[in-house]
Amino acid sequence: MGIEIERKFLVTSDAWRAAAHAVIPMAQGYINDMAAMDNGTQKASVRVRIQGQDAYLNIKSRELGHTRQEFDYPVPVSQARELLALCVGGLIDKRRYMVSFGGLLWEVDEFLGDNAGLVVAEVELESADQRFDKPDWAGAEVTDELRYYNLALASHPYSAWSAEERGQGNG
């Protein structure tokens, strides 16, 4: 079993772009939706992702916060395309930029399609209490806000958010 310890932040400017050293196009969808998670019939999200020339089936436990169980399995891209056709809700289309800052790798996701206009940055940590420097372009923390989870964005995309939902988060 893998454990993911991740913190998520809204991005407040384009200053990160100059430091980005790689970009990976991604398309992903979910076999289940937020309703299955919310009503307790499922305790994990099941995601299919094509990233660049690779594809994965991913299972991630539903736990609010920065620590979750995560399982990642490579699958052939042709099968991932077939699985994407079985997904519920909308597909997530985004570009992931890799940015090194403060000795850590930050992943900046620039969403496209129905989630265009949303940009978030994530950093994976070794432990839940690990200290780290936050770049100036990383604003409010939204780690504990479900609406920023990709599973939620597939069901309720950013383009459908109210002005209140588009607020700066609670962080």
Side-chain angles (χ1 to χ4, degrees):
M1 166 184 69
I3 298 291
E4 175 189 67
I5 303 169
E6 179 180 84
R7 305 273 296 271
K8 186 179 295 210
F9 300 86
L10 294 179
V11 173
T12 59
S13 77
D14 283 341
W16 58 271
R17 288 186 186 277
H21 56 83
V23 61
I24 304 167
M26 294 185 169
Q28 65 188 45
Y30 292 86
I31 302 296
N32 58 337
D33 61 11
M34 282 300 292
M37 303 286 276
D38 288 342
N39 70 24
T41 57
Q42 289 191 309
K43 296 180 181 180
S45 65
V46 181
R47 175 183 73 203
V48 179
R49 175 187 281 168
I50 299 174
Q51 58 186 57
Q53 302 302 313
D54 300 313
Y56 299 90
L57 184 62
N58 173 276
I59 302 166
K60 193 180 292 190
S61 65
R62 162 112 191 242
E63 294 157 278
L64 192 61
H66 56 275
T67 304
R68 292 181 289 283
Q69 296 175 51
E70 182 176 33
F71 307 88
D72 231 359
Y73 304 99
V75 296
V77 172
S78 61
Q79 289 181 11
R81 285 191 185 105
E82 292 174 17
L83 287 168
L84 283 174
L86 300 176
C87 290
V88 297
L91 296 181
I92 300 292
D93 187 18
K94 63 185 178 180
R95 290 185 199 109
R96 174 165 286 170
Y97 296 85
M98 304 303 183
V99 180
S100 296
F101 181 85
L104 296 172
L105 180 64
W106 288 73
E107 298 173 342
V108 178
D109 287 345
E110 180 179 43
F111 290 86
L112 308 168
D114 288 341
N115 290 295
L118 180 61
V119 183
V120 298
E122 300 173 350
V123 62
E124 287 199 24
L125 305 172
E126 295 293 320
S127 66
D129 59 355
Q130 179 178 342
R131 300 184 112 193
F132 62 95
D133 293 324
K134 187 174 94 166
D136 291 341
W137 44 262
E141 183 168 2
V142 294
T143 302
D144 294 331
E145 296 187 41
L146 285 176
R147 71 180 180 263
Y148 291 100
Y149 286 28
N150 286 298
L151 177 61
L153 292 169
S155 300
H156 184 57
Y158 188 69
S159 62
W161 286 17
S162 68
E164 183 179 328
E165 286 175 304
R166 289 181 182 231
Q168 284 297 306
N170 295 329

